[in-house]
Amino acid sequence: MKKISTIIIVMIAVISSTYAQKANKFGYLNSSELIGLMPETAKADSAVDKYAAELDALGQQMYLEYQKKATDAQAKAKTMTEEQLEIVGKELADLEKRITDFQQSAEQKIGAKKDKLYGPILQKANDGIKAVAKANGYTYIFDSGAGSILFAEESDDVLPLLKAHLKLPEPKTAPAATTPK
């Protein structure tokens, strides 16, 4: 009977240790911080800003053309016939519509450009997260930056592991302010 008890205790111990080894390991990171540390992000942001500035310049040209026509129409309004005023009004309305359509199109184009440039960055980050998770035995890694975690038991911040894996530089911090004596 003692042998059977001992065997059962040993089996329970083995099963418990096996279960403990397979216990879930949790980690977290702030994905926005990770993306912000990647050098590719600064390049993508710069390209998107440049593209947005080019589109903005085109929009400004359209707006200046509209202003010029509106000013000219106001100056000549007293000497114009009803038909001429109607034609000028339609031209101005058409210009307004073109400007509005252009602004909407520009926003869509900027969004598409950003998506295109950020795609490889997000893929690299995702691949890094998967590699770090597998290499360090994480079952789950949560994004603390998404704000979807309301409560979590203590877990590991995997951002330092990802920085090392992706060979990312440390963020530049401002020197501490000194107080005069």
Side-chain angles (χ1 to χ4, degrees), residues 119-139:
I121 296 168
L122 297 174
Q123 185 62 48
K124 181 178 178 182
N126 193 35
D127 291 346
I129 291 168
K130 288 178 182 177
V132 165
K134 286 181 182 176
N136 294 282
Y138 287 98
T139 308

Side-chain angles (χ1 to χ4, degrees), residues 157-169:
D157 182 0
V158 296
L159 187 59
L161 298 171
L162 278 160
K163 286 180 191 176
H165 178 80
L166 296 172
K167 297 174 181 67
L168 298 176

Side-chain angles (χ1 to χ4, degrees), residues 16 28 37 42 46 80-81 89 95 112 117-118 125 135 145 165 176 178 180-181:
S16 296
Y28 68 91
L37 291 170
S46 176
M80 290 182 163
T81 66
L95 270 174
L117 293 174
Y118 265 74
H165 178 80
T178 56
K181 293 185 179 183

Side-chain angles (χ1 to χ4, degrees), residues 91-147:
E91 286 177 2
L92 289 173
D94 287 345
L95 270 174
E96 282 180 25
K97 184 174 179 350
R98 281 185 36 222
I99 290 170
T100 302
D101 291 347
F102 177 80
Q103 288 170 335
Q104 290 173 350
S105 173
E107 288 175 18
Q108 291 172 347
K109 288 178 181 181
I110 291 168
K113 178 87 165 179
K114 189 171 186 175
D115 289 347
K116 179 182 176 186
L117 293 174
Y118 265 74
I121 296 168
L122 297 174
Q123 185 62 48
K124 181 178 178 182
N126 193 35
D127 291 346
I129 291 168
K130 288 178 182 177
V132 165
K134 286 181 182 176
N136 294 282
Y138 287 98
T139 308
Y140 298 100
I141 296 180
F142 297 96
D143 185 357
S144 63

